[in-house]
Amino acid sequence: MSLRPIIAPSILAADFARLGEEVRAVQAAGADWLHIDVMDGHFVPNITLGPDIVRALKPHATVPMDVHLMIAPVDPFLEAFVEAGADIISVHPESGPHLNRTLKRIRQLGARAGVVFNPSTSPSVIEWMMDEVDLILVMSINPGFGGQSFMHSQLAKIETLRRMIDASGRDIVLEVDGGVTAETARLCVDAGATALVAGTAVFRGGPDAYAANIAALRG
Ligand code: DX5
Ligand code: ZN
């Protein structure tokens, strides 16, 4: 697979009091995307940020904003996130009644559309929708918090989704999120991942460490 995975630092692990600076620092350190975790305290047991923060960060972003929505219902908020500057919007199938409609809507609004797999979500969810997705995101933790341990059980799912993407012949990004470290990054890439989200592993040690942290994830 890709020898140089896309690295998407999750700003959830950044200093929220200095978000603009943090975004500029990880970009200068080599971030390919910015991963933005949106939580509502309902779909997941934590609350983070909304479209206003995405809008405030947009002028600082020189790379795509990869917005991971952990909110339900999700449909009423798609437009607000695209208008705020989201380039990619990923949704959980469990966060709305009609995944196909939601994905079509994201593209219609002008963003790339992603589907997120919880640890318990089966790859079959996407079987009839390969034409509607630009990105598949495999959670290697239960969503809600950064700093959790990587679930090795999800590696087989990454391999299965890799095969499904290859069989489709489509250019779909396969991203992994949760507990990604230099060690687990390698396992994900070997299983077929082409993009890696990392919060703790990028932001630990402060700005002086970001470049080395990102380089370590690339292997
Ligand atoms: C959790 C989020 C993740 C999280 C990853 O629900 O989707 O993006 O920030 O954090 P780490 O890399 O610390 O596991
Ligand atoms: Zn995420």
Side-chain angles (χ1 to χ4, degrees):
M1 286 308 112
S2 169
L3 293 173
R4 191 181 184 282
I6 292 164
I7 304 295
S10 165
I11 63 162
L12 190 57
D15 179 349
F16 270 30
R18 300 187 303 110
L19 267 188
E21 272 172 61
E22 291 277 68
V23 160
R24 289 194 298 273
V26 280
Q27 288 174 162
D32 299 299
W33 291 356
L34 294 172
H35 186 81
I36 299 172
D37 289 305
V38 179
M39 307 186 189
D40 66 353
H42 166 75
F43 184 70
V44 289
N46 192 9
I47 299 175
T48 55
L49 51 87
D52 288 345
I53 304 283
V54 175
R55 185 178 299 106
L57 291 178
K58 188 66 176 175
H60 302 272
T62 56
V63 299
M65 296 179 95
D66 173 33
V67 176
H68 175 190
L69 296 182
M70 289 161 273
I71 61 176
V74 69
D75 292 339
F77 299 98
L78 299 174
E79 193 169 352
F81 281 101
V82 175
E83 277 180 0
D87 298 287
I88 304 160
I89 292 200
S90 297
V91 299
H92 288 250
E94 300 85 358
S95 65
H98 302 288
L99 180 60
N100 185 282
R101 178 178 288 147
T102 302
L103 297 173
K104 282 197 166 90
R105 180 72 181 137
I106 294 169
R107 281 182 166 178
Q108 197 179 54
L109 288 165
R112 286 191 268 168
V115 174
V116 193
F117 288 80
N118 276 335
S120 63
T121 309
S122 167
S124 61
V125 163
I126 204 74
E127 193 177 349
W128 298 98
M129 265 180 292
M130 297 301 277
D131 290 340
E132 316 291 344
V133 291
D134 302 299
L135 177 141
I136 290 172
L137 175 53
V138 176
M139 297 300 303
S140 39
I141 54 167
N142 280 299
F145 302 95
Q148 303 183 72
S149 299
F150 184 86
M151 294 170 65
H152 287 76
S153 60
Q154 300 306 301
L155 288 168
K157 189 189 290 178
I158 297 168
E159 288 171 0
T160 298
L161 287 162
R162 175 79 265 152
R163 284 194 293 274
M164 289 170 68
I165 292 169
D166 289 347
S168 78
R170 300 194 62 254
D171 183 21
I172 298 170
V173 175
L174 182 52
E175 187 175 39
V176 182
D177 185 5
V180 173
T181 62
E183 293 72 40
T184 58
R186 198 61 12 232
L187 302 175
C188 295
V189 170
D190 287 348
T194 53
L196 303 169
V197 175
T200 309
V202 167
F203 286 94
R204 76 156 61 92
D208 290 346
Y210 297 166
N213 290 346
I214 290 173
L217 292 172
R218 290 217 170 90

